[in-house]
């Protein structure tokens, strides 16, 4: 915003330098894992930052194995379904919290906050036992349920913060102007509510995509093992091969979509993270 | 009027019911079940030996060296990383607030550590510090075997944690920073306050509620630390955290009774720390217009 003004060149340079350092800080490990993944298997231990010669062998190896592609499929499917469910349930709850008066509203908000800080590790034992009894162990549903639950608080808080800002009376105005209830919803309210829902969807998806604890505890095979667990447990195609290169390649493959998402939806993510935490 | 009100109550409950039911089903019920399990000797490898043993699981955990070592590690990791994150986060927030150049680029870049999978971040840093694969030793001209000694291993774990979550802290603090009226800062400048005075006497006190929320969030989050420790050391060299102990007892050794006791103790510790926070920062939360309702 501020242009370099009268004699403030030093201050300006200071901000430029700080910005560059920050960007470097954020992308350093990403560039490192990318260059590691592009090294030839023989060069993995050369202790250099950049590859001497670029090779795609590691990527070929990762996709030749069945573990990683199925983990990608599981992660995407489980993440998307959990996101959809969490956002739908949270939208109902947030609408009620913002628009309706009913006893127990504050209890629900406080309870949701408590769950947001709940240690997941405290319930993996009981869930492990229950899921085996119910046949949910090592299934998509077995992960979708905890992901949905643990992201509901975040989604409810974010959506409530967004919904508070919506001028709900526009709905009535549209009706007065002759719109049908459906039209009023479709053309007036839905577009106003969409950004909030979209933002919470991104945050919920990032949570599900990121989780390792539940994935490591409640899955055991390619049937439902997600990417973080697959990468953490990856042992290499044969025992003679060092898995570092493959792990690096797999890491890059799952990091690229996240980086693209961040670049595209930067505003939404920041708004969502801060809406839930500060505006309340 | 009364009927309308009752209808509104009913609709409210109806809309909240699915979310509330899901949250109760997947958190409240299992934690109560964990409480129940913790009173039994119950090992899934020998299920027929299941037996009520009262509080003896708790005595076993609380008298074991592993638990106290893990608790110490967890508290050390939490305290150091949250402290550094606060300082780094404040600096980043100020930068994002005031940067004269590349503000959007910085805001976007800062989201990368937040969004990247923790396991991937932990592996990237693990490979970077690894004496055989990594560039860190070569770059700094060191010969440290980072993962075979407790101190260096804890250093890498804490370093990873700070790298990953300082940006999140910064975004929370940035939100608080933007709530401060510009006029106040300008007035302080007119009154002759220098940059440091403006920051410490105006900005910082006004940000206390936000700082409190951010600290509470991050402390409770750091106490759960699991992914990066698991990936980088699996708890070797005495770097186990309480979450690792619980995971190993429950999922690796399948000792549900003992593991449930560990889980309940973790839960209680976190409750106690949360209450402590609310007690000390509670008044600040209530005072602030931007605090929680």
């Amino acid at each position: 915003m501020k242009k370099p003004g009268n004699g403030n060149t030093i201050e300006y340079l200071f901000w430029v330098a700080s910005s560059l350092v920050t960007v470097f800080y954020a992308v350093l490990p990403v560039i490192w894992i990318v260059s590691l993944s592009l090294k030839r298997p023989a060069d993995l231990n050369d202790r250099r930052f950049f590859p001497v010669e670029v090779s795609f062998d590691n990527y070929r190896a990762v996709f030749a194995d069945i573990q990683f592609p199925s983990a990608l499929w599981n992660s995407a499917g489980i993440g998307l379904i959990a996101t959809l469910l969490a956002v739908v349930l949270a939208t109902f709850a947030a609408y009620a919290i913002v628009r309706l008066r009913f006893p127990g509203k504050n209890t629900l908000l406080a309870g949701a906050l408590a769950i947001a800080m709940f240690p997941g590790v405290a319930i993996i034992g009981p869930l492990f036992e229950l899921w085996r009894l119910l046949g949910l162990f090592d299934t998509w549903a077995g992960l979708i349920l905890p992901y949905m639950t643990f992201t509901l608080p975040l989604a409810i808080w974010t959506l409530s913060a967004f919904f508070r800002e919506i001028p709900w009376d526009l709905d009535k105005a549209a009706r007065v102007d002759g719109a049908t209830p459906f039209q009023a919803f479709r053309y007036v309210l839905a577009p106003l509510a969409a950004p909030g829902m979209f933002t919470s969807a991104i945050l919920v998806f990032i949570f599900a995509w990121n989780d390792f604890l539940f994935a490591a505890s409640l899955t055991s095979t390619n049937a439902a093992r997600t990417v973080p667990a697959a990468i953490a447990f990856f042992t290499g195609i044969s025992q003679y091969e060092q898995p570092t290169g493959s792990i690096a390649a797999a890491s890059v493959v799952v990091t690229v979509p996240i980086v693209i998402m961040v670049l595209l939806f930067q505003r939404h993510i920041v708004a969502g993270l801060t809406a839930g935490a500060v505006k309340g | 009027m009364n009927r309308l009100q009752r209808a509104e109550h009913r609709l409210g409950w109806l809309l909240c019911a699915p979310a509330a039911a899901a949250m109760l089903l997947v958190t409240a019920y299992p934690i109560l079940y964990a409480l129940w399990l913790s009173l039994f000797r119950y090992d899934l490898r020998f299920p027929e030996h299941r037996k009520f043993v009262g509080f003896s699981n708790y005595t076993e955990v609380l008298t074991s060296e592993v638990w106290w070592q893990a608790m110490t590690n967890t508290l050390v990791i939490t305290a150091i990383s949250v402290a550094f994150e606060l300082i780094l986060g404040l600096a980043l927030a100020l930068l994002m607030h005031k940067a004269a150049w590349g503000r959007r680029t910085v805001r976007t870049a800062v989201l990368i550590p937040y969004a990247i999978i923790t396991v991937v971040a932990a592996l990237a840093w693990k490979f970077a510090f690894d004496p055989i694969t990594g560039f860190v030793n070569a770059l700094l001209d060191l010969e440290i075997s980072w993962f075979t000694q407790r101190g260096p291993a804890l250093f890498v774990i804490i370093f990873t944690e700070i790298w990953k979550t300082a940006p999140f802290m910064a975004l929370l603090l940035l939100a608080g920073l933007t709530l401060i009226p510009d006029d106040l800062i300008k007035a302080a400048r007119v009154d002759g306050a220098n940059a440091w005075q403006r920051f410490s006497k105006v900005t910082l006190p006004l940000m206390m509620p936000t700082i409190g929320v951010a600290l509470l969030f991050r402390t409770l989050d750091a106490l759960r630390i699991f992914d990066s420790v698991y990936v980088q050391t699996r708890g070797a060299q005495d770097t186990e955290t309480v979450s690792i102990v619980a995971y190993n007892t429950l999922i690796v050794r399948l000792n549900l009774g003992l593991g449930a006791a560990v889980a309940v103790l973790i839960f209680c510790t976190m409750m106690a720390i949360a209450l402590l926070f609310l007690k000390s920062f509670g008044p600040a939360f209530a005072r602030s217009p931007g605090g929680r309702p």
Side-chain angles (χ1 to χ4, degrees):
Chain A
M1 289 279 241
K2 284 169 211 147
K3 288 274 174 291
N6 346 325
N8 264 344
T9 327
I10 294 180
E11 201 185 321
Y12 183 69
L13 282 178
F14 170 75
W15 291 119
V16 173
S18 316
S19 299
L20 287 176
V21 169
T22 308
V23 173
F24 178 73
Y25 161 93
V27 298
L28 176 71
V30 179
I31 298 176
W32 158 243
I33 202 94
V34 170
S35 61
L36 196 60
S37 74
L38 293 174
K39 284 182 180 181
R40 285 176 305 188
D43 297 339
L44 279 173
N45 293 340
D46 63 3
R47 293 165 48 122
R48 285 170 191 274
F49 190 87
F50 290 109
V52 184
E53 198 172 314
V54 170
S55 125
F56 290 94
D57 287 358
N58 294 320
Y59 289 90
R60 257 175 241 124
V62 155
F63 280 101
D65 194 11
I66 184 69
Q67 287 177 60
F68 184 65
S70 60
L72 261 183
W73 167 242
N74 291 335
S75 262
I78 290 170
L80 287 174
I81 297 174
T83 304
L84 188 73
L85 289 173
V87 172
V88 168
L89 294 194
T91 303
F92 290 155
Y95 179 83
I97 285 166
V98 173
R99 292 276 286 161
L100 303 175
R101 238 174 291 184
F102 59 99
K105 189 198 290 194
N106 288 330
T107 318
L108 184 82
L109 276 173
L113 187 63
I115 287 172
M117 308 195 172
F118 195 86
V121 75
I123 59 162
I124 52 169
L127 282 188
F128 179 74
E129 163 98 334
L130 276 175
W131 274 194
R132 286 180 345 130
L133 268 167
L134 300 171
L136 288 175
F137 182 74
D138 202 22
T139 65
W140 279 24
L143 283 183
I144 290 171
L145 273 170
Y147 290 168
M148 182 188 83
T149 312
F150 273 82
T151 50
L152 269 174
L154 181 74
I156 292 176
W157 278 90
T158 314
L159 280 166
S160 307
F162 271 93
F163 283 0
R164 275 199 195 100
E165 312 285 316
I166 293 182
W168 293 98
D169 291 341
L170 274 183
D171 171 38
K172 280 184 206 131
R175 296 290 306 280
V176 171
D177 289 347
T180 66
F182 177 75
Q183 282 173 326
F185 173 77
R186 166 74 183 74
Y187 295 105
V188 180
L189 291 184
L192 286 171
M197 294 175 67
F198 187 64
T199 300
S200 19
I202 295 175
L203 298 183
V204 171
F205 186 79
I206 289 179
F207 177 94
W209 186 256
N210 192 356
D211 170 78
F212 173 59
L213 179 64
F214 289 113
S217 311
L218 304 177
T219 67
S220 59
T221 65
N222 290 340
R225 180 161 277 175
T226 55
V227 163
I231 291 182
F233 296 132
F234 196 71
T235 45
I237 288 115
S238 73
Q239 63 186 96
Y240 304 105
E241 201 177 1
Q242 195 189 14
T244 310
S246 307
I247 291 176
S251 301
V252 172
V253 174
V254 297
T255 303
V256 168
I258 289 292
V259 172
I260 293 176
M261 205 159 85
V262 163
L263 289 176
L264 286 178
F265 306 129
Q266 183 240 129
R267 258 165 216 280
H268 288 280
I269 300 175
V270 174
L273 283 177
T274 51
V278 181
K279 278 187 214 140
Chain B
M1 188 58 204
N2 213 350
R3 234 189 46 215
L4 270 177
Q5 247 173 10
R6 232 175 308 155
E8 190 174 342
H9 291 179
R10 232 190 349 246
L11 181 61
W13 289 326
L14 201 67
L15 286 171
C16 290
M23 291 193 281
L24 284 176
L25 208 71
V26 185
T27 53
Y29 175 68
I31 194 75
L32 290 176
Y33 189 43
L35 208 59
W36 174 247
L37 276 178
S38 71
L39 303 175
F40 286 83
R41 183 170 70 202
Y42 184 29
D43 192 323
L44 277 185
R45 288 166 302 176
F46 316 103
E48 66 278 11
H49 292 269
R50 182 171 169 149
K51 185 181 152 211
F52 183 81
V53 291
F55 288 101
S56 77
N57 282 328
Y58 290 96
T59 354
E60 194 177 333
V61 175
L62 289 174
T63 52
S64 82
E65 228 170 276
V66 175
W67 164 260
W68 291 110
Q69 171 83 67
M71 189 45 102
T72 314
N73 287 340
T74 311
L75 293 176
V76 165
I77 294 172
T78 303
I80 299 181
S81 48
V82 172
F84 275 94
E85 280 161 30
L86 179 62
I87 298 166
L88 197 59
L90 263 176
L92 280 173
L94 283 173
L95 175 68
M96 287 190 278
H97 190 54
K98 300 182 78 175
W101 178 87
R103 196 191 318 218
R104 275 205 64 183
T105 319
V106 172
R107 285 193 191 191
T108 309
V110 144
L111 284 175
I112 291 174
Y114 161 77
I116 211 170
I117 296 178
T118 313
V119 166
V120 169
L123 280 168
W125 285 116
K126 185 190 179 185
F127 292 146
F129 279 96
D130 189 286
I132 299 168
T133 322
F135 65 91
V136 172
N137 272 351
L139 188 74
L140 302 177
D141 203 18
L142 295 170
E143 281 303 330
I144 301 179
S145 167
W146 293 92
F147 298 105
T148 56
Q149 310 157 64
R150 179 162 180 257
L154 280 178
F155 172 86
V156 179
I157 290 169
I158 293 171
F159 182 88
T160 307
E161 183 76 357
I162 295 172
W163 177 81
K164 172 98 172 82
T165 45
F168 176 70
M169 185 81 117
L171 289 171
L172 292 185
L173 296 176
L174 176 66
L177 208 54
T178 50
L179 291 178
I180 297 174
D182 249 357
D183 296 348
L184 280 179
I185 311 280
K186 279 196 195 119
R189 194 194 279 261
V190 170
D191 289 345
N194 62 31
W196 171 247
Q197 284 170 328
R198 289 199 300 272
F199 175 73
S200 62
K201 296 271 158 64
V202 182
T203 309
L204 211 51
L206 284 172
M207 280 186 67
M208 277 325 269
T210 317
I211 291 179
V213 172
L215 281 181
L216 175 66
F217 264 41
R218 271 299 306 144
T219 304
L220 293 181
D221 191 40
L223 288 169
R224 296 185 278 205
I225 185 168
F226 176 77
D227 303 12
S228 44
V229 183
Y230 187 88
V231 165
Q232 291 180 335
T233 65
R234 300 223 170 176
Q237 327 305 338
D238 292 330
T239 56
E240 278 187 317
T241 62
V242 285
S243 292
I244 297 273
V245 172
Y247 176 84
N248 282 341
T249 319
L250 289 165
I251 307 295
V252 180
R253 283 161 46 205
L254 298 174
N255 193 335
L256 285 191
L258 197 63
V262 174
V264 170
L265 285 170
I266 294 176
F267 180 71
C268 294
T269 312
M270 292 194 45
M271 290 280 282
I273 291 176
L275 286 178
L276 210 69
F277 252 98
L278 291 177
K279 259 216 150 97
S280 44
F281 276 99
F285 291 166
R287 257 204 318 274
S288 97
R292 294 187 173 285

